[in-house]
């Protein structure tokens, strides 16, 4: 537990600008690191899940940090890595590609060449995102921290691989 955590008073007005849950801690000072993953390329219905990590951080300032069962859990330190704008831009680009592919398949298009091309683009983007998640989680594990990737679903494969390598 760092001195910074001890000085943190959860009963005061807090802002998510200071960090997740309003806790003003660096990654080095924290035990738990949250990795925001703004990805919804393969979501076939609706949109908005890719903005989930940003919304979670903004809403986190409203969370009551005292829990009767665990007491002052915030004292272990929580840190959310910066929102990856480049990954979000890639998500936006390939969400449109995936939606075009879904529409073509829904309408029973016979243009197999174009559908195969679109599918290859989406798959390549998903592989790039998976590598990014893997790299982020590997980095957190190297620092002997606990991590949790966050996005529309648990993203099982990319973040679980570095755990198996430890």
């Amino acid at each position: 537990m760092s001195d910074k955590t001890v000085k943190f008073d959860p009963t005061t007005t807090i802002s998510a600008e200071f960090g997740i849950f309003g806790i003003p801690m660096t990654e080095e000072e924290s035990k738990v690191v949250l990795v925001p993953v703004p990805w919804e390329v393969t979501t076939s219905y609706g949109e908005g899940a890719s903005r989930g990590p940003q919304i979670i951080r903004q809403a986190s300032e409203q969370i009551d940090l005292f829990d009767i069962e665990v007491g002052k859990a915030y004292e272990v330190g929580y840190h959310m890595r910066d929102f990856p704008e480049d990954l979000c831009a890639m998500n936006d680009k390939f969400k449109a590609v995936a939606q075009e592919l879904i529409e073509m398949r829904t309408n029973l298009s016979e243009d197999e060449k174009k559908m195969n091309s679109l599918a290859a683009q989406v798959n390549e983007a998903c592989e790039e995102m998976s590598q990014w998640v893997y790299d982020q989680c590997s980095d957190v594990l190297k620092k002997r921290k606990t991590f949790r990737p966050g996005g529309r679903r648990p993203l099982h494969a990319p973040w679980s691989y570095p755990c198996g390598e430890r």
Side-chain angles (χ1 to χ4, degrees):
M1 180 177 358
S2 74
D3 292 337
K4 197 171 191 176
T5 312
V6 175
K7 294 177 186 172
F8 175 67
D9 181 0
T11 64
T12 62
T13 303
I14 57 177
S15 170
E17 291 182 24
F18 296 127
I20 190 77
F21 308 118
I23 302 171
M25 295 186 74
T26 65
E27 184 171 322
E28 291 72 30
E29 297 169 315
S30 302
K31 183 175 180 181
V32 179
V33 178
L34 304 173
V35 178
V37 184
W39 197 256
E40 64 180 9
V41 169
T42 56
T43 302
S44 59
Y45 179 78
E47 59 183 41
S50 63
R51 302 312 190 255
Q54 285 178 313
I55 293 166
I56 288 169
R57 178 153 177 174
Q58 290 168 353
S60 73
E61 65 189 39
Q62 299 298 319
I63 301 292
D64 185 353
L65 295 176
F66 179 76
D67 184 301
I68 196 148
E69 293 179 17
V70 294
K72 299 176 182 178
Y74 61 86
E75 288 185 346
V76 300
Y78 291 88
H79 175 80
M80 179 182 267
R81 286 190 163 181
D82 291 336
F83 187 78
E85 296 292 344
D86 53 340
L87 189 63
C88 189
M90 191 169 98
N91 169 80
D92 294 346
K93 176 182 177 181
F94 289 99
K95 172 76 174 178
V97 174
Q99 289 301 308
E100 181 180 357
L101 174 60
I102 290 167
E103 185 175 328
M104 289 181 75
R105 288 193 171 154
T106 300
N107 294 328
L108 304 174
S109 171
E110 294 181 12
D111 191 348
E112 289 294 324
K113 184 176 180 181
K114 182 169 184 177
M115 288 190 298
N116 288 341
S117 173
L118 294 173
Q121 290 176 55
V122 169
N123 289 338
E124 185 176 326
C126 288
E127 287 176 20
E128 191 173 330
M129 176 276 301
S130 293
Q131 184 63 51
W132 182 88
V133 172
Y134 173 88
D135 293 344
Q136 292 289 311
C137 295
S138 293
D139 182 58
V140 172
L141 282 175
K142 286 177 192 167
K143 297 174 181 176
R144 301 229 177 266
K145 309 273 184 190
T146 301
F147 69 88
R148 173 65 174 102
R152 80 175 174 101
R153 53 175 74 147
L155 302 162
H156 299 289
W159 69 261
S160 63
Y161 297 147
C163 294
E165 293 171 356
R166 301 261 321 130

